[in-house]
Amino acid sequence: MSVFKVKRVATAAAAAIVFWGTTLATDISGAGATFPYPIYSKWADAYKQQTGIGLNYQSIGSGGGIKQIKAKTVTFGASDMPLEAKDLQEAGLVQFPMIIGGVVPVVNIKGVQPGQMVLDGPTVAQIYLGDITKWNDERIRKLNPTLTLPATAIAPIYRSDGSGTNFLFSNFLSNSHPKFKETIGANTSVQWPVGIGAKGNEGVANMTTQTDGAIGYVEYAYAKQNKMAYVNLINSAGKKVSPNAESFQAAAANADWAHAAGYHLILTNQPGDKSWPITGASFILEHVEDPDQGCPGDLSRTAPRRRTAAPQGGGLDSGKSNVTGCR
């Protein structure tokens, strides 16, 4: 997972968008995307060591995070599918991108090591449509002429919960294959016609590891931590790319946050020879006004604010808010 570094266009938003409403003695609560959980967990540990304030983050999926922040049961929500400006306004929310990373196809095929297999969007779409059912299918072999592929049945693994990872993956496939777009589409929760469902990035990683012939999709950190056989992809420029910080950053370089209303921006299928095609931002969602106090709190006594350019080691900071009044 690459830490998202907000550019100057986000400076004004950073002044007004804060984690507020929590006294110094109270822990911060958050819920949502499993995509950023590994880095949020590290940041939480580091912040608690420095301040004594804990962060209770429920890794329940983007859909759950959106529901909980709208219900005002958590300090912040997290979603890998950005809400549109009109939806933010209706719910009284603001959002900003916190980190950028990539969704990675992973496989469990005997003899196939990480980075050995190459697939493209249309082929992956046909697998999840149920149109390609064996690993030695001619369309897969054409992309992998040097691999010896078995006649093993393909077992697609998908997210059974509403998730931003689902959204990014289904958005990538919808942009790659007309039939997928027409019959399944892109959303946090879709009706997969074939395969086995699993909850969370953790569940998909575990199910893929346990199932012979499986293919799944997880956030990059989960593939790396579990030493899974990740798949290289053909991007929109027709180039083979591997999932890593460089390819995520190449895709993110196209982001025009200054002209994205409510920071609604989707980064799949970005141009560029080095761009990873399933790149996405994970967003923080908060209420415009403090549910308890009606205003953003004074951060000298409340929860941490976010940095405008977080280093790899941390993303939370303490200090006073620049907010001078409620909206």
Side-chain angles (χ1 to χ4, degrees):
M1 176 67 69
S2 299
V3 178
F4 181 77
K5 297 179 183 293
V6 184
K7 296 185 179 181
R8 292 184 183 275
V9 296
T11 303
I17 303 169
V18 293
F19 293 118
W20 60 65
T22 308
T23 63
L24 195 62
T26 306
D27 288 349
I28 306 161
S29 62
T34 63
F35 185 102
Y37 176 73
I39 193 67
Y40 287 180
S41 179
K42 289 183 179 180
W43 286 350
D45 289 343
Y47 192 77
K48 187 166 186 177
Q49 289 178 11
Q50 294 180 20
T51 67
I53 301 174
L55 168 61
N56 176 25
Y57 182 74
Q58 303 171 56
S59 178
I60 60 173
S62 297
I66 293 170
K67 288 179 180 177
Q68 289 210 22
I69 188 61
K70 285 184 175 180
K72 301 184 179 181
T73 58
V74 291
T75 311
F76 70 94
S79 175
D80 306 327
M81 182 185 76
L83 297 184
E84 294 186 12
K86 60 181 179 60
D87 296 322
L88 292 170
Q89 186 173 9
E90 288 174 2
L93 297 172
V94 289
Q95 73 183 356
F96 57 85
M98 194 66 170
I99 57 174
I100 278 178
V103 176
V104 182
V106 288
V107 297
N108 181 5
I109 309 167
K110 290 179 181 177
V112 176
Q113 302 301 314
Q116 285 190 326
M117 176 168 279
V118 180
L119 294 174
D120 58 17
T123 303
V124 179
Q126 290 173 87
I127 289 172
Y128 274 88
L129 285 166
D131 295 339
I132 295 178
T133 61
K134 301 284 186 180
W135 280 115
N136 65 346
D137 185 282
E138 181 182 353
R139 287 161 286 190
I140 299 176
R141 288 192 288 112
K142 186 177 180 180
L143 292 166
N144 299 275
T146 62
L147 274 184
T148 301
L149 295 170
T152 305
I154 301 175
I157 311 298
Y158 60 83
R159 285 285 292 271
S160 60
D161 54 325
S163 74
T165 303
N166 250 352
F167 170 73
L168 293 173
F169 188 65
S170 60
N171 180 271
F172 162 66
L173 297 182
S174 291
N175 290 331
S176 302
H177 197 277
K179 181 181 175 181
F180 190 96
K181 184 176 183 179
E182 293 169 6
T183 60
I184 298 176
N187 212 325
T188 55
S189 182
V190 298
Q191 294 297 315
W192 300 99
V194 294
I196 305 168
K199 188 176 181 180
N201 273 286
E202 304 95 330
V204 171
N206 291 335
M207 185 64 72
T208 303
T209 301
Q210 296 167 10
T211 307
D212 185 35
I215 180 172
Y217 52 95
V218 296
E219 194 277 321
Y220 176 63
Y222 292 87
K224 188 174 181 180
Q225 289 172 0
N226 292 285
K227 300 179 180 178
M228 305 183 76
Y230 64 84
V231 172
N232 292 329
L233 290 173
I234 304 298
N235 65 16
S236 61
K239 303 295 185 180
K240 183 183 78 172
V241 287
S242 298
N244 53 46
E246 182 183 6
S247 60
F248 303 154
Q249 290 168 1
N254 295 288
D256 183 9
W257 299 106
H259 297 95
Y263 292 117
H264 182 274
L265 199 59
I266 299 167
L267 299 176
T268 56
N269 295 293
Q270 291 294 313
D273 289 356
K274 297 182 179 180
S275 295
W276 181 252
I278 327 179
T279 297
S282 192
F283 297 80
I284 294 292
L285 296 165
E286 294 182 319
H287 285 278
V288 175
E289 294 182 348
D290 186 325
D292 297 322
Q293 300 175 11
C295 284
D298 179 349
L299 293 189
S300 64
R301 62 179 177 78
T302 61
R305 64 177 169 85
R306 64 186 284 264
R307 292 175 177 168
T308 56
Q312 282 286 349
L316 300 176
D317 196 8
S318 58
K320 282 195 173 185
S321 167
N322 293 322
V323 175
T324 57
C326 301
R327 297 189 191 185

